[in-house]
């Protein structure tokens, strides 16, 4: 299972360390933060102790309203579960009692000036992507007309040349050669690069090019949601399907099914144009439009 250290979290969000400075190597393994509520009144039946604990204005105001003995009792009950860290939001002060207990138990206590709701949104998004299960596959990842596409095929089939044509037409490169796929949910797959190949595209007979230097910042983006898996294959006579609507096929990555399209290559075929058409057609289908249904309705009218 993937994990990050509390020190990485502190650096990512410029968090102030109030306690547990020698415990910043503690591991964070859960992708959602938690705001304790019922735990302050002693109910710990479903307490997610492995999650980051967020203390916003509501929680801190409640603790301030208690007597010293009550406050010590409630804080003592929570820290004994040793969550990875506490984060106090909205720059709240008067936290000596929290600092004392966190130092005693070796739990990092961090603080941000960002409002609670805003910080929770940023934190959960960061953790979800950072801790997501991932695999690396061979291929090219592109964003075509706002649609994330995984372009695959055997070495030398023409993936890079096709990608280059698409980039010149306005598409964006995400990753070449090694594509990192992250599973954000049972239906969401994110494609990104491995940092080393960022912005680079390898073209046979030309060599390595930097698409940002050649075509500008708009030629690249860091990540995209993958919604189409397109495979380039060699031409096979009498095997090119010409049905009005093809039976849907899927490729599965880490349990996430992605619509799959095979495009056979032959001199003269506008492969880049076909990929653009596939992307735009997928988008129309998501909006509820079917070209086949419209065509059949026209036939009925006649």
């Amino acid at each position: 299972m993937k994990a990050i250290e509390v020190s990485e979290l502190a650096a990512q969000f410029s968090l102030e360390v109030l306690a547990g400075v020698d415990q910043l190597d503690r591991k964070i393994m859960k992708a959602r933060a938690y705001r304790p509520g019922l735990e302050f009144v002693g109910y710990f039946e479903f307490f997610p102790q492995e999650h980051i604990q967020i203390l916003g204005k509501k929680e801190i105001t409640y603790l301030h309203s208690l007597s010293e003995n009550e406050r010590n009792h409630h804080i003592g009950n929570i820290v004994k579960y040793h969550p990875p860290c506490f984060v106090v939001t909205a720059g709240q002060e008067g936290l000596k009692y929290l600092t004392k207990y966190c130092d005693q138990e070796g739990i990092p206590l961090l603080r941000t000036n960002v409002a609670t709701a805003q910080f929770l949104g940023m934190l959960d998004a960061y953790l979800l992507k950072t801790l997501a299960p991932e695999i690396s596959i061979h291929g090219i990842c592109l964003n075509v007309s706002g649609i994330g596409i995984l372009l695959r095929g055997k070495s030398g089939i023409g993936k890079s040349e096709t990608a280059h044509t698409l980039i010149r037409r306005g598409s964006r490169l995400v990753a070449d050669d090694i594509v990192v796929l992250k599973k954000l949910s049972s239906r969401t797959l994110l494609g990104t690069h491995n940092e080393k190949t960022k912005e680079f595209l390898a073209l046979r007979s030309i060599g390595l090019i930097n698409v940002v230097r050649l075509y500008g910042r708009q030629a690249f983006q860091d990540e995209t949601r993958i919604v189409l898996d397109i495979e380039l294959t060699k031409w096979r006579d009498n095997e090119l399907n010409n049905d009005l609507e093809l039976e849907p096929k899927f490729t599965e990555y880490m349990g996430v099914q992605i619509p799959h399209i095979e495009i056979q290559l032959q001199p003269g075929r506008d492969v880049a144009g076909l990929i653009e058409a596939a992307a735009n057609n997928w988008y129309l289908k998501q909006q509820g439009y079917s070209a086949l249904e419209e065509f059949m309705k026209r036939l009925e009218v006649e």
Side-chain angles (χ1 to χ4, degrees):
M1 183 177 290
K2 296 182 66 177
I4 62 170
E5 294 186 354
V6 174
S7 59
E8 297 177 62
L9 181 75
Q12 174 69 26
F13 293 100
S14 301
L15 302 177
E16 179 186 2
V17 182
L18 302 178
V21 67
D22 59 342
Q23 296 293 322
L24 296 180
D25 58 349
R26 298 192 70 185
K27 304 296 184 183
I28 300 169
M29 303 177 69
K30 297 296 183 179
R32 297 284 184 183
Y34 180 74
R35 296 181 70 177
L38 289 174
E39 292 75 17
F40 285 135
V41 294
Y43 187 78
F44 288 90
E45 187 70 24
F46 301 101
F47 180 50
Q49 63 192 70
E50 296 180 347
H51 294 244
I52 298 171
Q53 305 296 308
I54 302 296
L55 301 176
K57 282 189 175 181
K58 179 176 65 176
E59 292 80 16
I60 295 299
T61 300
Y62 171 72
L63 291 174
H64 286 346
S65 71
L66 301 175
S67 68
E68 183 176 350
N69 287 337
E70 289 175 322
R71 187 163 55 235
N72 289 340
H73 174 71
H74 291 318
I75 294 299
N77 281 342
I78 289 181
V79 298
K80 71 181 181 182
Y81 284 91
H82 288 87
C85 66
F86 289 95
V87 180
V88 176
T89 59
Q92 296 172 94
E93 299 180 346
L95 307 174
K96 288 185 178 180
Y97 56 91
L98 272 174
T99 303
K100 179 185 73 172
Y101 275 98
C102 287
D103 274 331
Q104 286 177 355
E105 297 293 332
I107 303 172
L109 175 63
L110 313 170
R111 179 166 62 186
T112 177
N113 290 323
V114 179
T116 307
Q118 182 182 354
F119 181 73
L120 270 172
M122 295 189 301
L123 177 61
D124 281 348
Y126 168 74
L127 292 175
L128 186 63
K129 286 196 290 186
T130 305
L131 299 178
E134 66 178 50
I135 58 172
S136 295
I137 67 167
H138 177 67
I140 299 178
C141 183
L142 297 153
N143 185 282
V144 179
S145 302
I147 307 300
I149 288 177
L150 189 59
L151 188 61
R152 298 186 298 109
K154 293 182 179 179
S155 181
I157 197 72
K159 298 186 299 297
S160 297
E161 292 83 354
T162 302
H164 179 251
T165 301
L166 287 165
I167 291 167
R168 290 185 60 202
R169 291 182 178 184
S171 295
R172 296 180 175 183
L173 175 70
V174 176
D176 178 35
D177 190 35
I178 298 175
V179 181
V180 178
L181 299 178
K182 295 190 175 188
K183 180 182 178 181
L184 301 188
S185 73
S186 60
R187 300 179 61 183
T188 306
L189 202 65
L190 192 73
T192 187
H193 51 80
N194 67 352
E195 290 293 339
K196 294 179 182 179
T197 60
K198 180 179 180 179
E199 301 177 356
F200 290 121
L201 179 66
L203 294 172
R204 292 177 184 273
S205 303
I206 302 297
L208 203 62
I209 66 170
N210 185 308
V211 298
V212 172
R213 294 296 183 93
L214 278 181
Y215 301 115
R217 174 51 55 185
Q218 70 277 5
F220 173 82
Q221 69 181 56
D222 270 315
E223 58 190 32
T224 188
R225 180 190 173 193
I226 303 294
V227 298
L228 281 179
D229 177 74
I230 296 180
E231 183 180 8
L232 303 184
T233 61
K234 291 183 178 180
W235 182 269
R236 301 186 298 274
D237 288 337
N238 302 320
E239 287 192 25
L240 194 61
N241 202 315
N242 197 34
D243 294 341
L244 292 179
E245 186 166 83
L246 301 178
E247 181 179 346
K249 297 180 180 180
F250 298 89
T251 306
E252 188 172 297
Y253 299 100
M254 295 181 289
V256 181
Q257 288 196 330
I258 304 297
H260 171 81
I261 296 173
E262 179 186 346
I263 297 179
Q264 295 183 23
L265 305 183
Q266 188 181 53
R269 291 201 88 191
D270 181 9
V271 179
L274 291 173
I275 292 174
E276 289 173 330
N280 290 320
N281 195 48
W282 177 89
Y283 175 79
L284 287 175
K285 286 182 178 179
Q286 303 312 300
Q287 305 305 306
Y289 174 79
S290 169
L292 178 61
E293 288 182 7
E294 182 176 352
F295 178 69
M296 296 306 292
K297 286 179 181 178
R298 292 183 183 182
L299 293 180
E300 290 174 4
V301 170
E302 294 180 359

